[in-house]
Amino acid sequence: MIRVQREEFDVGAEVARLTRGNHLIGGVACFVGIVRETAGGEAINAMTLEHYPGMTEAKLAEIEAEAGRRWPLEASLIIHRHGRLEPGEQIVLVITASAHRQAAFEACEFLVDWLKTKAPFWKLEETASGPRWVEAERQDDKAAAKWAGQGRDKAAE
Amino acid sequence: MKILYFAWLKAKTGAGEEEVNPPDHVTDVQGLIDWLKERSPGHAQALADLSAIRVAVNQNYAGLDHPVKAGDEIALFPPVTGG
C-alpha cells in the first residue's frame, strides 16, 4: 500500500493495521524519516515538500511492487507526506513485513533508497538567509544503485 | 500538449502549468525544450542547463530523445529529493 498525504501518521497504528491477522509475519522493519533542524551547518526553520500528483503515487506503487518481486514480503506500506513540515515532524514511513527479518530489513532499506531517487518530490528549505531548494545528492544515487541484482529476483535489472 | 514545471523551474518560468501547441518540427523532448526557451527570458534561464533538468513524459521518466506529440503531459523538474 502507498499513501501520499499532508497529515501526520502514527507509526504504531500503521504497523498494527498492516500486520493484523497475518500470522505468517515473523518480522517487521520500519523506517521513519524526520525533518532535521540543520542542513549543511545552517538552521532550518521548516521545509516544504512539493510533489507531482499522479506520478508520485504511480512511482511509489511501482517501487513497492519491485520490492515485492525481490523479497518474500507478507505486507508493505509507504507513506510520504507533502506540504510544509517543521523540524521533528515525520516525512516518510516505510514498513516491510516478512516471515523472517532479513527480507524485511533489506526490503525496507531498498525502498528508502529507491524512493529517494525515483519518487518525484522536491524539498524547499526555509533558512535564515531565505528559501533554498535541496539539491539531489550523489550518495543517494550510489545507495540506490547498490541494489542492482539484489533480492531474490536477480534478473530484475 | 500540457507542460508542468516543478520546484525552481516553476519559479523561474513563472508557470506551474501551461498548455502549448508547438510547431510540427518539434518531435522530441530536446526539440520541445529548445522551443520552450523562446517563450520568455524566465523560460530561457530555467531551461539553460539541461544537466540540471529531469523530464517525465506522461508521468514516466524520459530522455531528451523521447518523442513528444499533441496531448502528451510533459513535466520538467530538477533531480528529485524525496525521502
Side-chain angles (χ1 to χ4, degrees):
Chain A
M1 284 187 298
I2 64 113
R3 287 192 341 243
V4 179
Q5 63 187 44
R6 288 189 83 92
E7 302 75 33
E8 178 67 288
F9 50 79
D10 178 334
V11 179
E14 297 297 344
V15 171
R17 190 176 311 153
L18 190 68
T19 57
R20 188 173 298 136
N22 185 343
H23 299 151
L24 294 172
I25 294 172
V28 175
C30 174
F31 174 84
V32 182
I34 297 172
V35 180
R36 276 186 300 270
E37 64 181 7
T38 61
E42 199 173 2
I44 302 298
N45 299 322
M47 69 165 53
T48 299
L49 278 122
E50 185 179 332
H51 74 115
Y52 181 174
M55 183 171 170
T56 306
E57 289 82 354
K59 278 287 148 196
L60 291 178
E62 208 177 290
I63 294 165
E64 186 188 42
E66 182 63 31
R69 272 192 292 276
R70 291 180 181 219
W71 288 275
L73 299 179
E74 289 296 329
S76 57
L77 172 68
I78 304 172
I79 299 178
H80 207 305
R81 294 178 69 192
H82 63 94
R84 188 175 181 277
L85 301 172
E86 295 184 351
E89 286 198 74
Q90 302 177 135
I91 307 175
V92 63
L93 172 64
V94 174
I95 305 174
T96 50
S98 186
H100 301 285
R101 69 182 183 282
Q102 189 187 0
F105 276 136
E106 287 183 7
C108 187
E109 191 180 3
F110 164 83
L111 284 169
V112 176
D113 285 346
W114 266 38
L115 77 82
K116 278 183 107 65
T117 55
K118 297 181 197 300
F121 285 94
W122 303 274
K123 290 173 179 154
L124 180 66
E125 293 173 339
E126 294 172 27
T127 72
S129 54
R132 70 170 179 217
W133 289 100
V134 175
E135 286 186 30
E137 293 190 39
R138 194 161 293 169
Q139 67 191 54
D140 287 340
D141 287 332
K142 279 190 189 157
K146 80 177 181 217
W147 294 102
Q150 295 296 305
R152 63 180 171 185
D153 186 358
K154 308 279 192 216
E157 301 233 346
Chain B
M1 193 181 288
K2 185 158 88 171
I3 314 293
L4 302 174
Y5 303 96
F6 292 100
W8 52 260
L9 276 102
K10 184 192 285 186
K12 285 188 177 173
T13 56
E17 182 178 330
E18 53 189 358
E19 195 65 41
V20 299
N21 289 301
D24 289 345
H25 67 81
V26 170
T27 58
D28 62 11
V29 170
Q30 175 77 64
L32 176 66
I33 290 175
D34 290 341
W35 181 76
L36 287 169
K37 281 183 190 168
E38 308 291 326
R39 288 177 73 82
S40 78
H43 284 73
Q45 199 199 352
L47 301 169
D49 179 9
L50 286 182
S51 72
I53 297 171
R54 298 294 177 271
V55 182
V57 177
N58 298 324
Q59 305 196 354
N60 284 301
Y61 291 110
L64 293 173
D65 58 352
H66 194 285
V68 298
K69 58 181 190 314
D72 280 350
E73 178 177 297
I74 321 285
L76 302 169
F77 45 79
V80 304
T81 56

